[in-house]
Amino acid sequence: MPKILSCIITAALLSFSAHAMAHTANEAEAAALAWLKAIDNGNYEQAWETSSPILKAPLSQGMLARTIELVRRDFGEVASRKRIRTSHQTSMPGAPSGDYIVFTFQTGFENSGRRLETVTPHLENGTWRVSSYYVEAP
């Protein structure tokens, strides 16, 4: 009987762990999408305010706005965005160790077709905050 009970407890813990990770990933993705929505709408102040200190340290609010505008100025409006990859990391180059979830989206822009956007939220004091953003051609 103890073996069966042990197996049941192990299965329950594994199930709980998978559920907790899925919940965490959902929160991280919601933070990434909210940040992208602010960028899409030209609300760079909001995006900067909700960013991780990892992103804020090298970029002032104005620098973030100028950088995003320069990179995306010819793309036009976002027509579609679909998550195509998710990766959980505990370290990132040039950043402190911690919990990171890297999301890659295939994003369709009005004037430039599809691009890959990579957004990386970092868990800081229980809150997911975007720590990096890249956009590139697929």
Side-chain angles (χ1 to χ4, degrees):
M1 187 72 166
K3 243 184 185 179
I4 293 174
L5 183 58
S6 176
C7 288
I8 291 171
I9 290 171
T10 300
L13 289 174
L14 288 173
S15 173
F16 177 73
S17 177
H19 175 72
M21 186 58 189
H23 182 69
T24 297
N26 289 342
E27 290 174 354
E29 185 171 13
L33 290 171
W35 191 89
L36 285 168
K37 183 176 180 182
I39 293 296
D40 294 344
N41 293 331
N43 193 343
Y44 305 116
E45 179 179 346
Q46 178 187 355
W48 193 83
E49 288 295 328
T50 61
S51 294
S52 164
I54 296 168
L55 183 86
K56 289 178 173 181
L59 290 175
S60 68
Q61 181 181 327
M63 287 175 64
L64 175 67
R66 286 189 298 277
T67 301
I68 298 294
E69 286 174 350
L70 180 65
V71 170
R72 289 181 43 174
R73 73 173 169 219
D74 297 330
F75 292 0
E77 299 292 318
V78 171
S80 64
R81 181 175 281 129
K82 177 184 176 188
R83 179 177 37 86
I84 58 171
R85 267 189 309 272
T86 303
S87 171
H88 183 262
Q89 304 292 325
T90 56
S91 66
M92 297 295 288
S97 294
D99 286 321
Y100 297 86
I101 299 184
V102 181
F103 295 99
T104 304
F105 297 94
Q106 184 175 58
T107 305
F109 290 94
E110 188 176 65
N111 299 333
S112 67
R114 290 181 290 167
R115 303 282 176 157
L116 295 178
E117 289 181 299
T118 302
V119 184
T120 306
H122 175 233
L123 186 61
E124 297 172 1
N125 301 319
T127 302
W128 288 98
R129 298 181 177 278
V130 171
S131 62
S132 70
Y133 171 72
Y134 301 98
V135 62
E136 59 189 284

